[in-house]
Amino acid sequence: MAAGTVLVTGGTGYIGSFTVLALLENGYDVVVVDNLYNSSKVALDRIELICGRRPAFYEVDVTNESALNDVFAKHPDIDSVIHFAALKAVAESGEIPLEYYRVNVGGSISLLRCMEKHNVSNIVFSSSATVYGDATRFPDMIPIPEHCPIGPTNTYGRTKSMIEAVITDEIEMQRRQAEKAGQPPDAWNAALLRYFNPCGAHPSGIMGEDPQGVPYNLLPLLGKVATGEREKLLVFGDDYPSRDGTAIRDYIHVLDLASGHLAALKYLREHKPGVKAWNLGSGRGSTVFEMIKAFSKVVGRDLPYEIVGRRLGDVLDLTANPSLANKELQWKTERSLEDACADLWRWVEKNPQGYRQDPPPELLEALRASKA
């Protein structure tokens, strides 16, 4: 018997696909909706190669409430939602803000309306550390705890903080209504997972991040520099008050991040806390230069970069204080930065075309041997 049935929005994307894999490996049934705007259906093939199971899939945009409603209707056994579907580039969000609000906030409202209609009462939301904005504006807030005041500095972060507010209002309303009706008030619950910089790939080398356009994140960009697809990395600012002048971020292996979503879902089902926020991070801050050095070491040569001006909305330090998740979710990161760099390089080196090529036979053979 399945541990439960989970709808995953954005389930063919980078973090979404790894969370789908973790759910399937842990006995859940999974229904994926994704419009494939910045992802590939091939991720589902790789999931099946790794774990022998495959989720149900619907090519649906979360802003299309009618189509989303049909998915819920076809799968009445859905009992929880993990919500990833969103536009996610900080720089781009400042250029097309209305589209970010339409997709991110509007899509989340469509999803919550469907959940309400079908009485699906648990949601794990993929939020972001960007909701905190510049935490250095407060004393003693680095590494960042969950009680740090919210104050995003870019459109992407503002969409995430707004969605957190919408989810909170909806859950609290549902609990009040249940109490008024004389029903148990604890059915509706939400986890707001604020995470930092996911990176890495599956250790098998057959599953990883495959952005359809130009990647915006540091490690995928470094991967493209390493394969020669890009000439150099652009470093946005070397005048931050950090140990080497570049911005500090908390990098977390995508496998650790996926397991954090399962831990949060389990907590909601067992403890019914209402709305709860957790940071998912390592608690270790690394500068851009330190990341370039770490990845260059794995690749075996120095990777070229050029320093340019800061990006709009970027902040000095986004390092997590993950102690609340460590304690309450019984979750912590298990993989190192070196693991993430090695796994990413294996993925990029062996799959220069990402999901637009077949997985290399030697990697498939190694995967089969590991299961034997």
Side-chain angles (χ1 to χ4, degrees):
M1 181 164 167
T5 300
V6 183
L7 176 79
V8 180
T9 73
T12 59
Y14 178 40
I15 309 166
S17 61
F18 276 88
T19 302
V20 169
L21 173 63
L23 287 164
L24 292 169
E25 287 178 328
N26 283 275
Y28 289 89
D29 288 337
V30 180
V31 179
V32 169
V33 296
D34 201 304
N35 67 355
L36 304 177
Y37 169 75
N38 190 29
S39 61
S40 169
K41 218 164 29 173
V42 177
L44 305 178
D45 300 331
R46 304 301 173 87
I47 287 169
E48 189 173 14
L49 279 171
I50 291 166
C51 77
R53 299 185 65 206
R54 191 180 185 91
F57 172 73
Y58 297 89
E59 189 173 340
V60 165
D61 191 311
V62 286
T63 62
N64 185 340
E65 190 176 324
S66 171
L68 196 55
N69 187 60
D70 289 345
V71 175
F72 276 90
K74 283 176 188 161
H75 295 272
D77 47 349
I78 292 170
D79 57 56
S80 305
V81 170
I82 302 181
H83 179 34
F84 294 101
L87 299 174
K88 64 169 191 174
V90 167
E92 182 187 60
S93 73
E95 294 162 7
I96 50 170
L98 293 181
E99 186 66 359
Y100 268 68
Y101 284 108
R102 183 188 75 82
V103 173
N104 294 7
V105 181
S108 299
I109 292 170
S110 296
L111 175 63
L112 288 165
R113 285 164 65 97
C114 289
M115 289 175 64
E116 188 177 90
K117 183 173 181 179
H118 295 274
N119 200 33
V120 176
S121 57
N122 285 322
I123 181 167
V124 175
F125 173 52
S126 163
S127 190
S128 167
T130 57
V131 301
Y132 295 119
D134 182 8
T136 62
R137 70 194 192 281
F138 301 106
D140 304 320
M141 287 291 179
I142 299 290
I144 303 170
E146 287 83 355
H147 62 264
C148 178
I150 300 299
T153 56
N154 54 66
T155 300
Y156 169 69
R158 281 188 281 275
T159 69
K160 289 292 188 178
S161 64
M162 193 174 287
I163 296 162
E164 287 194 4
V166 171
I167 289 172
T168 300
D169 287 347
E170 172 67 9
I171 298 295
E172 289 179 351
M173 178 277 292
Q174 291 288 352
R175 288 183 154 228
R176 284 195 305 271
Q177 298 282 67
E179 200 160 24
K180 272 187 199 168
Q183 297 165 350
D186 60 358
W188 285 78
N189 300 280
L192 311 175
L193 299 184
R194 297 170 181 163
Y195 41 82
F196 291 69
N197 288 58
C199 58
H202 196 272
S204 68
I206 70 164
M207 186 174 167
E209 184 170 13
D210 185 30
Q212 302 304 291
V214 176
Y216 286 91
N217 296 335
L218 175 62
L219 276 167
L221 282 165
L222 277 172
K224 290 192 178 292
V225 173
T227 58
E229 196 175 326
R230 291 178 75 83
E231 179 193 352
K232 62 193 171 191
L233 176 79
L234 298 181
V235 175
F236 296 103
D238 67 345
D239 57 348
Y240 287 95
S242 66
R243 49 192 171 268
D244 60 22
T246 61
I248 300 165
R249 296 293 181 266
D250 186 335
Y251 294 89
I252 174 173
H253 198 297
V254 68
L255 292 180
D256 286 331
L257 191 51
S259 73
H261 287 76
L262 268 67
L265 179 59
K266 183 169 182 274
Y267 190 94
L268 293 188
R269 291 164 65 135
E270 291 179 359
H271 297 276
K272 303 183 185 300
V275 181
K276 188 94 192 194
W278 288 283
N279 288 337
L280 297 184
S282 69
R284 299 181 305 269
S286 302
T287 69
V288 175
F289 283 157
E290 286 166 352
M291 290 303 295
I292 294 171
K293 188 176 177 183
F295 194 66
S296 295
K297 184 177 178 184
V298 168
V299 173
R301 66 180 189 281
D302 290 337
L303 298 174
Y305 62 85
E306 179 187 345
I307 295 159
V308 295
R310 296 186 187 187
R311 280 186 306 195
L312 179 71
D314 270 350
V315 298
L316 163 64
D317 194 332
L318 284 177
T319 302
N321 180 342
S323 58
L324 191 66
N326 297 163
K327 179 184 167 192
E328 294 186 344
L329 301 182
Q330 301 293 296
W331 170 91
K332 64 179 187 348
T333 57
E334 296 176 359
R335 295 159 185 88
S336 68
L337 196 56
E338 292 71 28
D339 293 333
C341 288
D343 290 341
L344 175 65
W345 178 232
R346 188 179 303 110
W347 160 250
V348 169
E349 183 184 30
K350 301 291 187 184
N351 305 270
Q353 298 302 310
Y355 289 141
R356 292 172 292 282
Q357 65 170 72
D358 291 331
E362 70 272 19
L363 295 185
L364 287 176
E365 187 53 46
L367 180 64
R368 277 191 287 267
S370 70
K371 291 178 176 182

